Amino acid sequence: MKVSAFKSFVCPMDGLPLLQEKNIFRCEKGHVFDMAREGYCNLLLVQQKASLDPGDSQTMVAARRKFLEGGYFAPIAARVFEMVCEMTANVKHDSSLRIVDAGCGEGYYLHQLSKLVVANHHQGTLALAGGDISKWAVKAAAKRSPDIAWAVAGNRQLPFAPGTVDLILSMFGFPDWENFRTVQPVDGRVLLIDPGPDHLIELRRIIYPEVNIRERRSLNTATEYGYRLKSTDQIKFSMN
């Protein structure tokens, strides 16, 4: 199995394909978006921002990266890899499984997926892209994994053409089912990772005087947009 960058971005202003010319992306109507030196593109328009600097701050990104690099969530990344391998079995030999991590943060899960692909000898090709509203998160992701396409973009307007994204990863994030449906083909899939009732329980018991039980997220909205639940898996492990 090989990894490539899924750079089939569209212009956030008119939805036309963005063509890369050296360090810029340009659409037919002349809208231009610069590629940052770290290797990502900012496709989040000013009118799409709820604040001047939306999403996680630089300090928050650094803290999350330090935690994730401790390997605490490695079992989750490993299970994602296993499920992706299962999906590649149905992909044509000359095609890629196009995967977008919607709300990718600092890129841990796509980075781990890429590493596991290299370490294991599976057939097929993965075309990977990640997007997040935090420029600090995307900058960190692009620095670490230049073989993956990265963009500053929100889940409400994923910068991909209709029907081009085979699999969307929503890792502890905020799925926008309406927009997800727009960029996926009829048989497109979403891998939704949600915290279980004991998520980070070891830490929560230290911080809070009373630990509340988390309720499962409702999938009613997903059903409204044509998605159906294929399977549910639970991963449970302890950490110190």
Side-chain angles (χ1 to χ4, degrees), residues 63 67 72-73 197-212 214 237-240:
F67 172 81
Y72 298 107
F73 283 3
D198 292 335
H199 182 64
L200 294 177
I201 190 67
E202 298 90 349
L203 184 61
R204 288 158 58 202
R205 283 173 177 160
I206 296 172
I207 297 175
Y208 304 113
E210 183 178 349
V211 177
N212 297 321
R214 298 177 183 271
F237 52 91
S238 300
M239 64 178 72
N240 294 320

Side-chain angles (χ1 to χ4, degrees), residues 33-102:
F33 301 88
D34 294 328
M35 178 83 79
R37 63 181 181 182
E38 291 85 1
Y40 70 91
C41 192
N42 194 331
L43 300 177
L44 187 67
L45 303 178
V46 173
Q47 57 267 35
Q48 296 170 348
K49 297 181 179 181
S51 64
L52 293 176
D53 192 14
D56 291 348
S57 67
Q58 190 172 11
T59 302
M60 293 166 68
V61 170
R64 180 174 288 108
R65 181 168 184 174
K66 182 179 179 180
F67 172 81
L68 291 171
E69 287 185 343
Y72 298 107
F73 283 3
I76 300 174
R79 184 64 183 122
V80 169
F81 171 69
E82 291 173 1
M83 297 185 76
V84 168
C85 288
E86 293 170 7
M87 295 178 195
T88 57
N90 299 319
V91 178
K92 295 180 180 179
H93 179 69
D94 58 347
S95 301
S96 299
L97 184 68
R98 300 161 297 184
I99 302 175
V100 171
D101 188 348

